[in-house]
């Protein structure tokens, strides 16, 4: 049996990797992933003036009819808020602007003046959805950021589409947000872990998954300085500030990539209690403290075993 074939390219401002168990299926898998990812970018990006999300912001205060994909993405984000008691909340868009994350990260000024007054996110309950009419209404003071869920949503969606198009087993990684669909290779998919998806995997930190998804949330990559203070992109909705850095990296395996990423992000926001929360949920997770010490939950392996 031939080994899986893979291809890496840029998408959603990060690296996208597509792997197929059948090499002949790779071109069709890539095409399916590109199509699904482009659709998410076109609808959900807060950095595109022509996105459906931008149009929603322009119509704040009124019901706005939007692409059904954006409705789906917002429903995913609201579900995340419900499951995490608001620790992962899509209404942090204005908070991210206030701390300086006001454009695609590649174009973000790495240094700048101090940030002004910060405030808590308005809260996910301010967002209204009419799925049947494909309409959304947000208050005038609300800006949405779907960064905590949209990329993982894209991974899940594109993996399903690639499997449907090819019948082969498929792994899709969008900036380290990983989803698999279809039959896995013998022994499962090997996934290496690192603080950054762009870095080499840490020695001895490879796990295997056969279904679902795996995601890593980290405060180590998207960082910048304002007024001499280091900031990062994981914002605590309760304060509008970057979360206190108890955990620099959290990796979680779950039934979907969205669930894995939501759990990982919420654990960073929750700080020390995040590990016990993941343990109570029974989710396999690996949490790395700011000093490099590691906590594992839910049977996360010590070595390269099935997660």
């Amino acid at each position: 049996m031939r080994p899986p074939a893979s291809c890496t390219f840029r998408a959603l401002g990060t690296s996208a990797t597509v792997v197929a168990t059948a090499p002949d299926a790779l071109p069709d898998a890539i095409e399916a992933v590109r199509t699904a990812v482009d659709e998410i970018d076109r609808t959900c990006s807060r950095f595109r003036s022509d996105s459906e999300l931008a149009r929603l912001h322009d119509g704040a205060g009124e019901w706005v009819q939007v692409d059904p994909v954006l409705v789906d993405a917002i429903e995913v984000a609201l579900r995340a808020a419900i499951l995490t008691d608001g620790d992962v909340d899509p209404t942090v868009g204005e908070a991210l602007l206030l701390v300086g994350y006001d454009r695609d990260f590649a174009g973000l000024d790495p240094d700048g003046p101090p940030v002004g007054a910060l405030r808590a996110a308005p809260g996910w309950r301010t967002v209204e959805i009419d799925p049947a009419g494909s309409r959304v209404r947000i208050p005038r003071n609300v800006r949405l950021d779907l960064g905590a869920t949209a990329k993982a949503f894209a991974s899940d969606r594109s993996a399903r589409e690639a499997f449907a198009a090819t019948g082969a087993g498929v792994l899709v990684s969008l900036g380290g947000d990983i989803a698999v669909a279809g039959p896995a290779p013998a022994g499962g998919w090997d996934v290496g872990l690192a603080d950054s998806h762009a870095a080499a995997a840490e020695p001895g930190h490879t796990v295997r998954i056969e279904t679902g998804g795996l995601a890593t949330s980290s405060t180590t990559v998207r960082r910048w300085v304002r007024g001499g203070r280091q900031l990062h992109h994981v914002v605590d909705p309760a304060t509008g500030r970057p979360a206190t850095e108890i955990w620099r990296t959290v990796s979680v395996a779950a039934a979907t990539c969205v669930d894995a990423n939501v759990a990982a992000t919420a654990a960073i926001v929750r700080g020390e209690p995040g590990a016990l929360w993941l343990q109570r949920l029974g989710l396999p997770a690996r949490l790395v403290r700011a000093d490099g010490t590691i906590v594992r939950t839910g049977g996360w392996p010590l070595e390269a075993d099935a997660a």
Side-chain angles (χ1 to χ4, degrees):
M1 180 179 293
R2 290 181 291 175
S6 67
C7 177
T8 298
F9 51 92
R10 295 291 295 176
L12 298 180
T14 187
S15 62
T17 298
V18 181
V19 190
T21 53
D24 293 346
L26 184 61
D28 288 341
I30 293 170
E31 181 62 27
V33 170
R34 285 189 182 275
T35 299
V37 168
D38 287 348
E39 193 171 38
I40 296 295
D41 188 46
R42 176 180 57 79
T43 55
C44 300
S45 174
R46 71 179 177 96
F47 304 121
R48 287 180 54 162
S49 60
D50 63 343
S51 72
E52 289 287 288
L53 183 60
R55 196 162 63 81
L56 175 61
H57 287 153
D58 289 342
E62 306 292 337
W63 282 103
V64 179
Q65 189 162 33
V66 296
D67 191 296
V69 174
L70 180 59
V71 174
D72 290 345
I74 293 175
E75 286 190 306
V76 167
L78 296 180
R79 173 179 173 270
I82 294 169
L83 292 177
T84 63
D85 295 323
D87 285 332
V88 178
D89 188 317
T91 64
V92 296
E94 184 68 21
L96 284 165
L97 292 177
L98 290 174
V99 297
Y101 194 3
D102 57 359
R103 65 200 67 189
D104 187 277
F105 193 77
L108 192 67
D109 188 342
D111 203 347
V115 300
L118 301 177
R119 54 183 178 270
W124 60 272
R125 291 181 179 85
T126 63
V127 181
E128 300 175 81
I129 294 185
D130 169 23
S134 195
R135 300 188 305 160
V136 182
R137 182 165 65 181
I138 59 175
R140 288 186 175 87
N141 65 330
V142 169
R143 293 186 67 85
L144 302 184
D145 175 79
L146 304 178
T149 51
K151 186 152 58 67
F153 175 55
S155 291
D156 285 328
R157 186 184 180 94
S158 58
R160 290 194 303 268
E161 293 293 330
F163 169 54
T166 65
V170 176
L171 178 148
V172 175
S173 173
L174 298 176
D177 285 352
I178 295 168
V180 300
W189 297 99
D190 287 336
V191 178
L193 301 177
D195 276 344
S196 164
H197 69 273
E202 301 169 37
H205 296 302
T206 299
V207 294
R208 295 192 183 105
I209 60 173
E210 294 187 355
T211 61
L214 189 151
T216 296
S217 186
S218 176
T219 64
T220 65
V221 181
R222 296 191 175 186
R223 302 182 70 90
W224 61 96
V225 177
R226 293 293 181 269
R229 180 184 174 191
Q230 285 272 344
L231 302 172
H232 62 81
H233 76 292
V234 183
V235 166
D236 182 349
T239 65
R241 300 178 179 276
T244 302
E245 293 182 78
I246 304 300
W247 311 109
R248 75 184 192 202
T249 302
V250 179
S251 301
V252 178
T256 66
C257 185
V258 164
D259 286 351
N261 197 58
V262 167
T265 302
I268 286 182
V269 171
R270 293 186 177 209
E272 194 65 44
L276 181 59
W277 177 68
L278 290 171
Q279 183 66 44
R280 286 174 174 167
L281 290 175
L283 290 174
R286 177 178 181 264
L287 304 92
V288 184
R289 296 186 188 276
D291 65 4
T293 58
I294 297 171
V295 175
R296 297 173 178 84
T297 71
W300 187 279
L302 295 176
E303 300 292 345
D305 294 318

